[in-house]
Amino acid sequence: MVKLSIRRLGRALLATSASAALAVGMLTATAATSQAATQGPCDIYAAGGTECVAAHSTTRALYGTYNGPLYQVRRASDNATKDIGLLNAGGVADAAAQDSFCAATSCVITVIYDQSGKGNHLTQALKGHWPGPAEGGNDNLANAFEAPVTVAGHKAYGVYVAPGTGYRNNHTNGIATGDQSEGMYAIFDGTHFNGGCCFDYGNAETTGNDDGNGTMEALYFGNSKGWGWGSGNGPWVMADLENGLFSGVNRGFNANDPSVNNRFLTAMLKGGQNQWAIHGGDAQAGGLSTFYNGIRPTAGGYNPMKKQGAIILGIGGDNSNTGGGTFYEGVMTSGYPSDATENAVQANITAAGYNSGSTGTGTLTPGSRISLQATTAPCCTSHYLRHDDADTKVVISSLKSASSATDKADATWIVRTGLADTSCVSFESANSPGQFLRHSNYQLYLNTDTGGSSFAKDATFCPTAGNSGAGMSFQSANFPTKYLRHYNYTAYIASNGGSNAWDSSNSWTADTSWLVTQPLG
Ligand code: AHR
């Protein structure tokens, strides 16, 4: 009974917790230094003569007067859907509406509405040349809780694209086709990327197939070296022009495209008649830098372009879906935006106030940074749950304030709303963003989300009163008789007695009881 009431208390606490000079030269055009508080990026593009024809965001309005829905979520418990709107016109998303609609279940993002009025909404990408992992070969939908942030101090959620996740619109209105000019920007999480193909946002084929060189023009973000790359080890902002991720005029290496990994990253691309440019910057502060500005690639097929005008998010033009990343907002324009307009948009973005919202409160509130201290005496009371650096295992080891910064960071976790049950929690590594504590074959690992509901369940733990009477215990969401346990200094989910060695009843209550402490790292 105590266990249940503590769990309810935990649920209540979770439910009410309200929030929790890049290397290359600066653009030469003069930036607008201020905008009216009510302006959004699309007001700025319109003033520059290059209106938005698609405007997607799950975090904020992209026009000063926009007051419609940002996105739609669907909950697992009954498949009901709900539109998530804004706190006020031109403002930030009403994340609390998502929290209450999805309470004690899980939600996916089903629609990302187009704020431009053109009706260019993004929905689940259907099977293309490459099938996705969902039913019918379609792509997965994003977990609605996996990319929490704050914007101007208010909680909001981004679109977390695990590999296999994708959104698309093949029937658009007003998007550039052929060799017509367009611009686009997106805000990504610069710490969440991979080398798969292709975490994109922008213009693609309406067929879902690879229709040849020049049939796409989309922003790419990641560290793929399959086609092109820039300086350093990546990740890079590149242009996906089909059969090629371009970091500059050449196929392959272009030294001027730097590695960029700002927590919030502005990525910009524009393309016109035999000209195109990539710009990037920190979405929290400062201006834009030019990563490329010049003629179309000299490789055959990219001049003139043959854009088809579909919109993709998280995937390649042919539905290649092994890329991963996080998207917060993005727009596409009609016409080739000036550098001055793009600089003014960057000023608007940095003024929006994106923040990761994670604080070291040492409580089980989503966004809080914590450490988990073992309670088993005499072996382990100085030990903390941490991930290994040499492999993906999760273990306990003895740590103190004088331990290395890496060891302490390895033992620091960011509490997240439970990926499979919003009344429970998930634990994201503080020093390996996008990687979660999850069990596989009952052993605990630190892994990047592979998408879908299985990973979400394996990474969700429901807090209860400590099984020994001390601290807290963490029940596996999909194996409720099993709790997070250390056994022989390795972490498992374990029942009190059972066929596996780590299910041993000896010390089970102590081994499954943890102190939630201030973060070590
Ligand atoms: O251009 C890179 C990728 O190549 C495209 O996104 C995809 O359509 C093709 O496989």
Side-chain angles (χ1 to χ4, degrees):
M1 292 310 291
V2 173
K3 215 176 277 181
L4 282 175
S5 61
I6 293 284
R7 178 166 171 174
R8 274 193 215 110
L9 175 66
R11 286 181 180 214
L13 283 171
L14 289 167
T16 56
S17 65
S19 68
L22 295 169
V24 186
M26 302 295 292
L27 287 181
T28 49
T30 310
T33 49
S34 67
Q35 290 115 30
T38 52
Q39 274 196 313
C42 287
D43 301 309
I44 297 165
Y45 279 115
T50 48
E51 63 162 358
C52 291
V53 285
H56 302 115
S57 175
T58 55
T59 62
R60 66 168 183 144
L62 300 175
Y63 293 84
T65 55
Y66 186 73
N67 202 16
L70 295 182
Y71 61 105
Q72 182 190 73
V73 293
R74 187 179 69 216
R75 66 185 174 202
S77 53
D78 60 0
N79 280 332
T81 58
K82 181 176 178 61
D83 285 349
I84 306 299
L86 294 155
L87 293 173
N88 55 279
V92 177
D94 180 10
Q98 173 176 315
D99 291 349
S100 68
F101 181 72
C102 305
T105 180
S106 62
C107 274
V108 290
I109 297 172
T110 38
V111 184
I112 306 167
Y113 291 107
D114 172 19
Q115 302 177 30
S116 77
K118 299 280 185 196
N120 291 323
H121 313 306
L122 291 171
T123 56
Q124 180 177 29
L126 305 181
K127 182 178 181 222
H129 172 76
W130 298 105
E135 203 177 328
N138 302 328
D139 292 347
N140 285 333
L141 293 163
N143 184 306
F145 286 91
E146 210 159 343
V149 291
T150 60
V151 180
H154 300 287
K155 183 162 69 167
Y157 295 102
V159 184
Y160 185 97
V161 173
T165 305
Y167 294 83
R168 192 168 193 128
N169 185 334
N170 285 340
H171 305 283
T172 60
N173 174 20
I175 304 295
T177 56
D179 205 29
Q180 287 175 341
S181 299
E182 66 179 348
M184 63 192 76
Y185 85 83
I187 301 180
F188 299 133
D189 177 347
T191 69
H192 179 206
F193 59 90
N194 72 8
C197 175
C198 292
F199 177 69
D200 287 353
Y201 173 72
N203 194 326
E205 296 94 332
T206 51
T207 60
N209 295 317
D210 176 345
D211 288 336
N213 297 2
T215 54
M216 295 179 64
E217 185 166 66
L219 278 162
Y220 163 85
F221 180 64
N223 65 346
S224 165
K225 290 181 90 171
W227 291 274
W229 64 94
S231 58
N233 295 321
W236 302 282
V237 178
M238 297 192 273
D240 190 341
L241 303 180
E242 190 51 275
N243 297 314
L245 302 178
F246 285 87
S247 54
V249 73
N250 303 309
R251 277 203 185 278
F253 177 62
N254 290 283
N256 277 344
D257 197 21
S259 296
V260 281
N261 62 359
N262 307 86
R263 171 64 181 81
F264 296 98
L265 173 71
T266 307
M268 281 188 186
L269 173 66
K270 55 185 169 183
Q273 288 74 53
N274 199 21
Q275 60 173 339
W276 65 289
I278 309 172
H279 297 133
D282 181 347
Q284 290 182 294
L288 295 171
S289 298
T290 302
F291 299 164
Y292 177 74
N293 185 11
I295 59 166
R296 289 290 184 185
T298 45
Y302 298 101
N303 184 33
M305 293 287 284
K306 308 165 197 75
K307 301 172 213 179
Q308 293 190 3
I311 307 174
I312 52 172
L313 171 59
I315 48 176
D318 57 4
N319 200 44
S320 296
N321 51 65
T322 59
T326 299
F327 171 93
Y328 300 106
E329 63 178 66
V331 313
M332 299 171 68
T333 71
S334 168
Y336 197 80
S338 68
D339 287 356
T341 296
E342 291 181 319
N343 282 330
V345 167
Q346 167 69 358
N348 177 281
I349 289 168
T350 58
Y354 273 93
N355 206 289
S356 65
S358 297
T359 53
T361 57
T363 65
L364 282 180
T365 306
S368 173
R369 294 161 70 94
I370 60 148
S371 290
L372 291 173
Q373 186 177 7
T375 60
T376 313
C379 69
C380 304
T381 51
S382 65
H383 287 237
Y384 290 80
L385 189 76
R386 51 98 43 102
H387 67 90
D388 269 350
D389 289 320
D391 56 32
T392 57
K393 286 183 186 162
V394 173
V395 298
I396 58 167
S397 74
S398 182
L399 296 172
K400 48 184 181 293
S401 53
S403 298
S404 77
T406 302
D407 283 343
K408 289 191 288 188
D410 289 350
T412 301
W413 305 91
I414 304 172
V415 178
R416 297 297 184 201
T417 303
L419 297 183
D421 181 338
T422 60
S423 67
C424 302
V425 294
S426 293
F427 296 105
E428 183 179 0
S429 163
N431 62 349
S432 296
Q435 299 201 35
F436 290 82
L437 183 67
R438 61 82 58 99
H439 65 81
S440 174
N441 266 335
Y442 311 116
Q443 187 167 347
L444 283 160
Y445 296 93
L446 186 71
N447 284 160
T448 303
D449 187 357
T450 49
S453 61
S454 301
F455 184 96
K457 287 179 192 151
D458 293 349
T460 300
F461 302 90
C462 301
T464 68
N467 288 324
S468 69
M472 308 212 62
S473 291
F474 298 95
Q475 196 175 28
S476 160
N478 48 352
F479 293 92
T481 61
K482 295 180 186 290
Y483 291 76
L484 175 58
R485 177 190 196 169
H486 64 88
Y487 181 81
N488 213 5
Y489 305 100
T490 301
Y492 299 91
I493 53 166
S495 50
N496 190 357
S499 51
N500 302 304
W502 56 84
D503 293 326
S504 166
S505 293
N506 282 344
S507 304
W508 182 87
T509 57
D511 291 352
T512 56
S513 297
W514 304 83
L515 300 181
V516 180
T517 73
Q518 288 289 331
L520 286 178

